């Protein structure tokens, strides 16, 4: 991923990350909750609240590049890069990926987490995958969130 593609996403995260977000969102009892903060033709920004144990499952973001940061709590990202690679992501850590990158993000901790995600162009689709240990296989697709 080039700095040219990453910079607008990181700028969007900086623009929308503020302490007020942390106080406005009550973490869900289970799963995840999504809050759309901004959408235009170039980028969209989502706040995601994670209950302990919540997971995205293996997926990609269609044609969108993506960046995200953790505001509170911690997440673990399972990246499929022809093999499985794990990344611990704590408050202030940011990750960015090209379109088509397959990963699973999980809150494996005992506390809720809050993360901020930016997509460019807008999130138009997500593809879901089954992790089979040494490979992944496509399960299906869904349109982007409204």
């Amino acid at each position: 991923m080039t700095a040219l593609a990453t910079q607008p996403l990181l700028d969007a995260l900086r623009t929308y990350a503020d302490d007020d977000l942390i106080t406005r969102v009550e973490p869900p009892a289970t799963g995840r909750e999504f809050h759309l903060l901004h959408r235009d033709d170039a980028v969209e920004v989502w706040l995601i609240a994670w209950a302990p144990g919540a997971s995205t499952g293996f997926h990609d973001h269609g044609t969108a590049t993506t960046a995200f940061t953790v505001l509170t709590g911690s997440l673990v990202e399972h990246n499929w890069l022809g093999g499985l690679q794990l990344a611990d992501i704590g408050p202030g850590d940011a990750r960015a990926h090209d379109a088509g990158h397959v990963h699973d993000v999980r809150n494996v901790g005992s506390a809720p987490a809050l993360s901020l995600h930016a997509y460019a162009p807008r999130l138009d689709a997500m593809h879901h995958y089954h992790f089979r240990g040494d490979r992944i296989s496509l399960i299906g697709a869904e349109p982007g969130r409204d």
Side-chain angles (χ1 to χ4, degrees):
M1 175 172 283
T2 68
L4 195 57
T6 306
Q7 196 58 52
L9 296 172
L10 296 175
D11 289 345
L13 293 178
R14 282 186 201 95
T15 297
Y16 288 92
D18 64 46
D19 292 337
D20 185 48
L21 287 177
I22 296 168
T23 61
R24 287 190 338 205
V25 175
E26 186 69 31
T30 61
R32 296 172 291 146
E33 286 184 0
F34 304 86
H35 305 273
L36 179 62
L37 301 179
H38 173 81
R39 178 183 281 155
D40 62 30
D41 291 338
V43 66
E44 67 182 30
V45 179
W46 289 84
L47 180 67
I48 302 177
W50 305 70
S55 172
T56 63
F58 281 90
H59 68 284
D60 69 28
H61 299 105
T63 61
T65 57
T66 184
F68 71 98
T69 187
V70 172
L71 302 176
T72 62
S74 64
L75 299 172
V76 175
E77 182 180 32
H78 296 181
N79 294 287
W80 179 255
L81 301 166
L84 192 60
Q85 295 182 4
L86 303 180
D88 292 321
I89 307 153
D93 294 339
R95 305 279 295 167
H97 300 295
D98 287 323
H101 176 80
V102 177
H103 67 164
D104 174 19
V105 181
R106 304 174 186 182
N107 180 358
V108 298
S110 59
L114 199 59
S115 59
L116 193 59
H117 302 247
Y119 305 95
R122 291 174 44 177
L123 186 59
D124 62 354
M126 290 178 62
H127 302 100
H128 299 277
Y129 298 85
H130 181 73
F131 176 66
R132 301 187 180 275
D134 62 345
R135 67 188 189 288
I136 58 171
S137 58
L138 182 64
I139 298 170
E142 69 175 281
R145 298 191 184 278
D146 290 326

